[in-house]
Amino acid sequence: LSYIQDPRVIARVDATISEVKIAKNTDVPATTASDGMTDAFVLHTGGAVKLVIDADELDIDSVALGQSASVTLDAYPGESFAATVSHISRIGTVSGSITTYPVEVLLGYEARLLEGMNGSAVVLTAKKENVPLIPVARILEDSSGEYVNVKATNGSYERRDITTGLSDGTNAE
């Protein structure tokens, strides 16, 4: 009724209309939802952005709704933005011998963020503090297990068998 009295659409914030859902040259919606309501426009306000990342089948079981994530964007190198896992697809995509699942992470409001920015996200699936870390590149493996080479006092290197724990892909516990 209010639209009939004042046929204007007023957005509460600055936005860009990305899609008009009204049939061309009419005031009739292109589609009607089952509840009788229709959307006239799709507005992009910027600031809050959804990023879709691919989690491989080895990691997807560790990802859960509401987990925190850290997002880095190509547009802002050296900065990270807080995000939260908002959706996990149950339908994967097979590529070669690995299946990946789309995971949506929602960033908090930040006025500089714009639709379509490229970036990557790290989802925090576990956390430990005060544990020794070693670069993954230094860990060796053979049929006996994982080990590192440690420099002895005489200058030679000795094998030390290790057991690793959590890893972020760069360092391991």
Side-chain angles (χ1 to χ4, degrees), residues 54-60 89-102:
D54 289 324
D56 73 44
E57 61 188 301
L58 302 175
D59 298 325
I60 194 66
S89 177
R90 299 185 60 79
I91 301 171
T93 302
V94 178
S95 178
S97 63
I98 192 85
T99 302
T100 58
Y101 297 86

Side-chain angles (χ1 to χ4, degrees), residues 90-130:
R90 299 185 60 79
I91 301 171
T93 302
V94 178
S95 178
S97 63
I98 192 85
T99 302
T100 58
Y101 297 86
V103 173
E104 293 178 2
V105 294
L106 189 61
L107 285 82
Y109 182 81
E110 165 67 56
R112 298 178 297 161
L113 304 183
L114 301 173
E115 180 94 15
M117 287 184 164
N118 293 312
S120 61
V122 175
V123 177
L124 182 62
T125 59
K127 181 178 178 179
K128 287 190 178 178
E129 294 181 5
N130 300 319

Side-chain angles (χ1 to χ4, degrees), residues 6 8 21 23 52 67-68 84 94 102 106 121 140 151 163 166 171:
D6 184 7
R8 295 181 296 160
K21 294 189 167 194
V52 180
Q67 279 179 321
S68 62
T84 304
V94 178
L106 189 61
L140 304 169
K151 192 171 187 176
T163 302
L166 293 178
N171 294 300

Side-chain angles (χ1 to χ4, degrees), residues 12-130:
R12 290 179 283 224
V13 295
D14 289 343
T16 302
I17 297 173
S18 68
E19 185 179 353
V20 176
K21 294 189 167 194
I22 297 176
K24 191 172 184 171
N25 298 323
T26 72
D27 60 358
V28 178
T31 60
T32 302
S34 61
D35 63 1
M37 302 296 287
T38 60
D39 293 330
F41 306 100
V42 174
L43 299 175
H44 290 278
T45 59
V49 176
K50 175 175 55 178
L51 179 67
V52 180
I53 59 171
D54 289 324
D56 73 44
E57 61 188 301
L58 302 175
D59 298 325
I60 194 66
D61 203 33
S62 300
V63 179
L65 292 177
Q67 279 179 321
S68 62
S70 177
V71 174
T72 55
L73 299 171
D74 297 349
Y76 302 106
E79 285 188 64
S80 63
F81 300 88
T84 304
V85 175
S86 59
H87 179 75
I88 304 166
S89 177
R90 299 185 60 79
I91 301 171
T93 302
V94 178
S95 178
S97 63
I98 192 85
T99 302
T100 58
Y101 297 86
V103 173
E104 293 178 2
V105 294
L106 189 61
L107 285 82
Y109 182 81
E110 165 67 56
R112 298 178 297 161
L113 304 183
L114 301 173
E115 180 94 15
M117 287 184 164
N118 293 312
S120 61
V122 175
V123 177
L124 182 62
T125 59
K127 181 178 178 179
K128 287 190 178 178
E129 294 181 5
N130 300 319

